[in-house]
Amino acid sequence: MVAGSGKSNGEDNGTDTSAPQIEVRTLADLARVAGVSAGTVSRALAGKSLVNTETRERIQALARQYGFRPNQMASKLRSRRTGVIGVVIPLGHEKRQSISDPFFLTLLGHLADQLTDSGYDLMLSRAIPDGTTDWLERITGSGMVDGVLVIGQSDQSKIIDRVAANYRPLVVWGNHREGQVHCVVGTDNEHGGRLSAEHLIASGARRLAFLGDTTGIEIEMRHRGAAAAAQAAGLPLTHIPVALANAEMGPQIKAALAMPDLDYDGIVCASDLIAMSALRVLYETGRAVPDDTQIVGFDDLPLAAQTMPPLTTIRQEIGDGARVMVEKLKSRIEGEDTSSLAMAPTLIRRRTTLR
Amino acid sequence: MVAGSGKSNGEDNGTDTSAPQIEVRTLADLARVAGVSAGTVSRALAGKSLVNTETRERIQALARQYGFRPNQMASKLRSRRTGVIGVVIPLGHEKRQSISDPFFLTLLGHLADQLTDSGYDLMLSRAIPDGTTDWLERITGSGMVDGVLVIGQSDQSKIIDRVAANYRPLVVWGNHREGQVHCVVGTDNEHGGRLSAEHLIASGARRLAFLGDTTGIEIEMRHRGAAAAAQAAGLPLTHIPVALANAEMGPQIKAALAMPDLDYDGIVCASDLIAMSALRVLYETGRAVPDDTQIVGFDDLPLAAQTMPPLTTIRQEIGDGARVMVEKLKSRIEGEDTSSLAMAPTLIRRRTTLR
DNA sequence: CAATGAATTACAATCGATTGTACGACGCGT
DNA sequence: ACGCGTCGTACAATCGATTGTAATTCATTG
């Protein structure tokens, strides 16, 4: 019993008695200390049953004592499994090179939670498609991740499609479109846009405006839904493009809403952030919400409940979305095929609309 | 000359003529195609000068043609450099297992930008110190990252200190404290708290309240600064702890501010989010801001400019902070030593205070 | 008592790229 | 024509863990 003890402190007791100061960096080091082979140590630490229970516990104790942790690179190289999921945010049409969209950030937080719970690490990449079209391949082909999640398609849908044709473990957050190859999870944005406009109409609005830049497909679909609802009711809908970037948004909205020939009593906003800005602009210009002008946001971020008055908005289930994305990705890693999912958004009635 | 060429296309031209469909996954594969050795391919792709210009370009062209990308795991293992920085958010005293704090999320976004620009990848870990004390070692000791950034100390300062004693490339966002071993970058929270209270006092407030839970050291220091300013002016400051978690925050603040025996005309808030909630509660209870009650936030998140009225707040330079953190981390990776930095916060006057 | 087999453990190949060193070819000067 | 330096490339060791297979030990049984 305690076979290794004699060995370990028998060899190097020339200097000091308690010898926990040998550097134990590698499996081989620990194997030497334990008096076994590296392979055995590997199996012992992995908890495999092939190794004697007693030996295993002894080795595990030694590992703890020396604070030994196996090198992940070596492990991942050999086992051909990295335990890492790449999360990519393509900054497509957005000029500013910064991850700032609170919706994406919130989704990212939820993804981090889900992935951690599934035992995966998360590698975050900000991709700026600067003309090059291989920003995704750079990640999928690096051998560094077991799968990839893309947050938002931006205007890179075709590139994603091309990659997805050869790379299976890929799930995208965004708007599903006919004929799309890649697996996408997201909200039914058109439906959301329709809900928004319909609610405004039902609340008495007769002259609608849509606030948001429709370069990205998600917002384009929201606009389409709103436009469809307006058309069905025989009402006009004016499209006012405003950037998503926070800095420019305020002034842009201010300028847009102050246009003298623009007439509106109901605003469909492409995001809660836009709605919040609009709310402020309207307040400053003396228009009462919801009495003079009604507003509906999109996303239902936590802050939507904190505006004044609290924002009526279209809720996207971010937490559910993250969970579904991770589930589908895991299935795909297992080799299964998964279909896209468009989740139904819901209207959250608060106080920026009359009903 | 071209010793290997006979080998490569002599063997496998039996099937088809144009052969771009050979799987080229490894350096060796590409070497075979190019008729050179793996070592040469490695050097060619790395752009080393040891290899003939012509050969190099030929190999690079082939790599592009076959869409070859070297396996990162192997590369990192051999070169003992991962090009990855771990970013950890310790969820210390926060019960909810979710990354949601918008300030941290924003900082994370900036860090992602900075790290990307420096050629690093970012590996995100959410750490829930559930009794165990090795959540940091698990990351630093894994051999998977070249350095680690910790976002927020929470109540784990001692553990971080212990790790920092043996692990150099570590930089923390948080509040510097005397005798702290690890390198921390952050705002001078005490100063910020003082600025906040002083401004309220200068604006005429006489009965102060502090809204925020002081379990984390950052907020504790903000409270301390505010308390010092109040004491210096001979004024009272009531401490009202409220959680940071969004869900509970609203009702908690509502209950707290409605306490009948609580008297206040100036509120120091521990964060913009808290301030925003307070703003709403005050509005609902019919107290005018800033005329009846003045409020100062903390952080100066983008949304602070969008509240109604726009929020006077203490600005933390998140972008600068991220830049400094990454710079210091790079220095430490190079082996240099770096000192902590407490950045001076600034008061941003908007409309929730009278001056 | 030898043979069989179960349980452990050692040995060695492997994952794929990097890098130091050795080797061959070429041009040059004398 | 021979020796020498330069340039380019091949060869092989290496990073550190994993894993299939061989080898060892020990108990058991015909």
Side-chain angles (χ1 to χ4, degrees):
Chain A
M1 70 305 306
V2 198
S5 72
K7 248 176 257 170
S8 71
N9 50 21
E11 313 285 89
D12 49 38
N13 60 359
T15 49
D16 57 352
T17 52
S18 66
Q21 288 318 41
I22 325 163
E23 259 283 56
V24 174
R25 290 187 321 105
T26 73
L27 267 190
D29 291 346
L30 189 56
R32 211 171 305 121
V33 171
V36 295
S37 79
T40 303
V41 175
S42 173
R43 282 185 249 260
L45 293 181
K48 298 263 176 82
S49 54
L50 283 76
V51 47
N52 187 308
T53 313
E54 196 186 320
T55 323
R56 186 192 326 153
E57 279 165 5
R58 185 165 59 83
I59 291 176
Q60 285 174 347
L62 281 174
R64 224 170 301 123
Q65 180 186 336
Y66 286 95
F68 168 76
R69 271 164 228 285
N71 182 302
Q72 301 281 29
M73 290 306 152
S75 166
K76 292 169 194 300
L77 171 60
R78 175 62 224 240
S79 53
R80 305 173 127 292
R81 185 186 171 284
T82 68
V84 177
I85 299 298
V87 174
V88 192
I89 306 187
L91 266 19
H93 58 281
E94 285 277 331
K95 300 290 170 295
R96 306 194 321 129
Q97 304 196 350
S98 181
I99 302 175
S100 60
D101 186 315
F103 175 79
F104 283 171
L105 248 19
T106 308
L107 180 54
L108 176 62
H110 284 277
L111 286 175
D113 294 343
Q114 291 295 326
L115 289 172
T116 308
D117 290 346
S118 298
Y120 281 105
D121 284 313
L122 186 163
M123 193 139 112
L124 183 61
S125 302
R126 171 195 76 151
I128 335 131
D130 47 351
T132 67
T133 61
D134 70 337
W135 53 270
L136 230 195
E137 276 103 340
R138 213 150 44 201
I139 294 157
T140 58
S142 69
M144 205 153 48
V145 295
D146 290 341
V148 171
L149 296 172
V150 179
I151 304 187
Q153 299 160 299
S154 181
D155 47 8
Q156 307 286 313
S157 186
K158 276 182 213 110
I159 292 179
I160 299 174
D161 245 16
R162 171 166 54 73
V163 174
N166 299 310
Y167 185 80
R168 308 304 304 159
L170 178 74
V171 175
V172 180
W173 174 271
N175 198 102
H176 179 64
R177 186 151 44 176
E178 272 318 307
Q180 216 159 231
V181 179
H182 58 269
C183 174
V184 29
V185 173
T187 301
D188 185 339
N189 288 296
E190 184 168 7
H191 186 193
R194 197 167 343 112
L195 279 180
S196 182
E198 281 172 355
H199 181 64
L200 283 171
I201 295 167
S203 302
R206 286 298 168 264
R207 299 174 305 282
L208 302 181
F210 182 95
L211 227 47
D213 172 29
T214 52
T215 307
I217 178 176
E218 287 91 347
I219 306 226
E220 185 196 328
M221 297 309 287
R222 291 174 199 175
H223 176 251
R224 186 172 301 184
Q231 192 171 22
L235 297 174
L237 180 135
T238 314
H239 177 206
I240 310 173
V242 290
L244 276 120
N246 297 325
E248 308 136 34
M249 193 171 65
Q252 270 191 25
I253 292 177
K254 190 159 199 163
L257 294 186
M259 289 196 309
D261 51 343
L262 180 64
D263 189 23
Y264 52 87
D265 59 2
I267 306 181
V268 177
C269 297
S271 77
D272 282 352
L273 237 59
I274 291 177
M276 200 172 161
S277 270
L279 222 43
R280 245 180 55 67
V281 169
L282 291 175
Y283 175 77
E284 283 170 2
T285 54
R287 299 184 66 137
V289 175
D291 298 310
D292 296 340
T293 308
Q294 304 186 61
I295 288 190
V296 179
F298 208 110
D299 289 343
D300 194 26
L301 297 178
L303 65 85
Q306 306 293 336
T307 58
M308 273 161 33
L311 187 64
T312 294
T313 191
I314 306 296
R315 175 171 178 79
Q316 304 198 65
E317 297 291 345
I318 308 185
D320 289 351
R323 193 169 328 114
V324 171
M325 284 182 80
V326 172
E327 270 167 22
K328 283 187 186 291
L329 185 61
K330 288 201 288 186
S331 298
R332 291 185 147 259
I333 290 176
E334 303 293 329
E336 299 167 36
D337 220 336
T338 61
S339 54
S340 294
L341 173 68
M343 297 184 296
T346 51
L347 175 76
I348 306 290
R349 291 181 198 179
R350 295 211 181 88
R351 305 253 164 269
T352 55
T353 50
L354 288 170
R355 289 180 46 185
Chain B
M1 71 318 286
V2 196
S5 73
K7 246 175 264 169
S8 72
N9 49 23
E11 314 284 270
D12 50 35
N13 61 358
T15 50
D16 57 351
T17 52
S18 66
Q21 287 317 41
I22 324 164
E23 256 284 57
V24 175
R25 289 188 321 106
T26 72
L27 266 190
D29 291 346
L30 189 57
R32 210 170 307 122
V33 172
V36 295
S37 81
T40 302
V41 174
S42 172
R43 283 185 250 259
L45 293 181
K48 298 262 174 80
S49 55
L50 283 77
V51 47
N52 185 308
T53 313
E54 194 186 321
T55 323
R56 189 194 322 155
E57 280 165 6
R58 187 166 56 84
I59 291 177
Q60 285 174 346
L62 280 174
R64 224 170 302 121
Q65 180 186 334
Y66 284 95
F68 169 76
R69 273 162 226 286
N71 182 301
Q72 301 282 28
M73 289 306 151
S75 167
K76 291 168 194 301
L77 171 60
R78 174 62 224 241
S79 54
R80 303 171 129 292
R81 185 185 170 286
T82 67
V84 177
I85 299 297
V87 173
V88 192
I89 304 187
L91 267 17
H93 58 280
E94 285 277 331
K95 301 289 171 297
R96 306 194 322 129
Q97 304 197 349
S98 181
I99 302 175
S100 60
D101 186 314
F103 175 79
F104 283 170
L105 248 19
T106 308
L107 180 54
L108 175 63
H110 284 276
L111 287 174
D113 293 343
Q114 292 294 325
L115 288 172
T116 308
D117 290 345
S118 298
Y120 281 105
D121 284 313
L122 187 164
M123 192 137 114
L124 183 62
S125 302
R126 173 195 74 152
I128 334 130
D130 48 351
T132 68
T133 62
D134 71 336
W135 53 271
L136 231 194
E137 276 102 339
R138 213 150 43 201
I139 293 156
T140 58
S142 69
M144 204 153 48
V145 295
D146 290 342
V148 170
L149 295 172
V150 179
I151 304 188
Q153 301 159 301
S154 182
D155 47 8
Q156 306 286 314
S157 187
K158 278 182 210 109
I159 291 177
I160 299 174
D161 245 16
R162 170 165 54 73
V163 174
N166 299 310
Y167 185 79
R168 309 303 305 158
L170 178 73
V171 175
V172 180
W173 174 271
N175 199 103
H176 179 63
R177 186 152 43 175
E178 273 316 308
Q180 219 160 229
V181 179
H182 59 269
C183 174
V184 28
V185 172
T187 301
D188 185 340
N189 289 296
E190 185 169 7
H191 186 192
R194 198 168 341 113
L195 279 180
S196 181
E198 280 171 355
H199 181 65
L200 284 170
I201 294 167
S203 302
R206 286 297 169 263
R207 300 173 305 281
L208 302 181
F210 181 96
L211 229 46
D213 173 28
T214 53
T215 307
I217 178 176
E218 286 91 350
I219 305 220
E220 185 196 328
M221 297 308 287
R222 291 174 199 175
H223 176 251
R224 188 174 300 184
Q231 193 173 22
L235 296 174
L237 180 136
T238 314
H239 176 205
I240 309 172
V242 291
L244 275 120
N246 297 327
E248 308 136 34
M249 194 171 65
Q252 269 191 28
I253 292 177
K254 190 158 199 164
L257 294 186
M259 290 197 309
D261 51 344
L262 179 63
D263 191 22
Y264 52 87
D265 58 4
I267 306 180
V268 177
C269 297
S271 77
D272 282 351
L273 236 60
I274 291 177
M276 198 172 161
S277 271
L279 221 43
R280 246 182 55 67
V281 169
L282 291 175
Y283 174 77
E284 283 170 1
T285 55
R287 299 184 67 138
V289 175
D291 299 310
D292 297 340
T293 307
Q294 304 185 62
I295 289 190
V296 179
F298 209 109
D299 289 342
D300 195 26
L301 298 177
L303 64 88
Q306 306 293 338
T307 59
M308 272 162 32
L311 188 65
T312 295
T313 191
I314 306 296
R315 175 171 177 79
Q316 303 198 66
E317 297 291 345
I318 309 185
D320 289 351
R323 193 168 329 113
V324 172
M325 285 182 79
V326 172
E327 271 168 21
K328 283 187 186 291
L329 185 61
K330 288 201 288 186
S331 298
R332 294 180 83 87
I333 290 175
E334 302 294 328
E336 298 168 35
D337 219 335
T338 60
S339 54
S340 293
L341 173 68
M343 298 184 295
T346 51
L347 175 76
I348 305 291
R349 291 183 198 176
R350 294 207 182 89
R351 304 254 164 269
T352 54
T353 51
L354 289 171
R355 291 180 45 183

